[in-house]
């Protein structure tokens, strides 16, 4: 028998004010688009901002539906939009922020499992890591150098 231990690591910033200027600006755009989320059911608003290697920023917010599973998370709205409009561009950075209408989220809110899988697909597609920054409404920001920290042992095209 053998045991495999997988280490993941994150950088913690005390607040968004500590972020490098370019990332801070990306996070500000995620905050702005978060406010436009369509989240009448959960009252939980998420904003995502992608910086591409062509300099473009692509934004997304969560879009809910009365048939609950038909809605989509902010991260995937942004990623699929980016893939549709700029299929050749590489995603360099992703900033995510989440805020509830009912209580203040002060700790970093990580992307859900389905979003991690989608981000992972694009890392494989472009063959370069995506820096991921995530936070709540206020407080610390976590940074991951790649989706691999958030989704170790990922399923990818090599298994097909
Ligand atoms: N949500 C996101 O947009 N991203 C995530 O990674 C987690 C959850 C949305 C989906 C739903 O509209 C609301 O947050 C509550 O789950």
């Amino acid at each position: 028998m053998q045991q495999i231990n997988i280490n993941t690591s994150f950088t913690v910033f005390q607040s968004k004010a500590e972020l490098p200027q370019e990332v801070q600006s990306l996070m500000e755009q995620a905050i702005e688009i978060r406010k436009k989320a369509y989240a009448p059911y959960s009252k939980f608003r998420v904003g995502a901002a992608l910086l591409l290697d062509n300099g473009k920023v692509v934004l997304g917010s969560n879009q809910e539906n009365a048939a609950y599973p038909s809605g989509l998370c902010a991260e995937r709205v942004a990623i699929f939009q980016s893939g549709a409009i700029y299929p050749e561009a590489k995603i360099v950075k992703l900033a995510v922020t989440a805020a509830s209408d009912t209580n203040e989220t002060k700790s970093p809110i990580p992307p859900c499992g389905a979003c991690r899988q989608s981000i992972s697909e694009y890392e494989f597609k472009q063959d370069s890591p995506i820096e991921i920054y995530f936070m709540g409404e206020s407080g610390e920001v976590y940074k991951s150098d790649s989706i691999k920290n958030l989704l170790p042992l990922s399923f990818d095209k090599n298994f097909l």
Side-chain angles (χ1 to χ4, degrees):
M1 213 173 70
Q2 186 200 351
Q3 186 159 339
I4 300 171
N5 295 311
I6 299 173
N7 286 317
T8 67
S9 78
F10 298 87
T11 307
V12 180
F13 296 87
Q14 288 314 304
S15 74
K16 73 174 155 61
E18 258 191 21
L19 294 169
Q21 192 49 53
E22 186 185 48
V23 182
Q24 215 175 106
S25 149
L26 200 63
M27 189 60 86
E28 294 294 350
Q29 293 178 78
I31 291 168
E32 285 312 305
I33 201 73
R34 186 191 76 204
K35 295 173 186 165
K36 296 181 184 166
Y38 177 57
Y41 306 106
S42 71
K43 317 269 188 225
F44 192 79
R45 299 169 185 277
V46 186
L50 299 173
L51 177 65
L52 309 184
D53 67 350
N54 62 10
K56 303 283 184 189
V57 172
V58 179
L59 306 173
S61 63
N62 53 325
Q63 300 296 312
E64 297 188 348
N65 195 287
Y68 290 5
S70 301
L72 199 62
C73 292
E75 296 91 323
R76 278 176 289 160
V77 169
I79 283 180
F80 296 160
Q81 169 84 330
S82 159
I85 302 181
Y86 305 111
E88 306 304 332
K90 293 187 178 193
I91 302 165
V92 184
K93 297 178 202 296
L94 163 62
V96 185
T97 169
S100 168
D101 288 350
T102 56
N103 61 292
E104 195 184 345
T105 51
K106 294 180 180 161
S107 50
I109 314 272
C112 80
C115 287
R116 294 178 198 202
Q117 183 66 30
S118 295
I119 297 165
S120 177
E121 179 71 24
Y122 286 79
E123 269 203 9
F124 272 97
K125 176 183 174 237
Q126 67 185 36
D127 196 25
S128 65
I130 300 172
E131 280 178 24
I132 304 165
Y133 298 81
F134 53 95
M135 67 178 295
E137 191 174 352
S138 59
E140 291 177 341
V141 183
Y142 281 11
K143 175 197 177 190
S144 169
D145 292 330
S146 156
I147 191 63
K148 290 188 172 67
N149 291 310
L150 284 159
L151 191 67
L153 280 188
S154 62
F155 180 81
D156 63 64
K157 63 180 175 153
N158 297 316
F159 295 112
L160 294 175

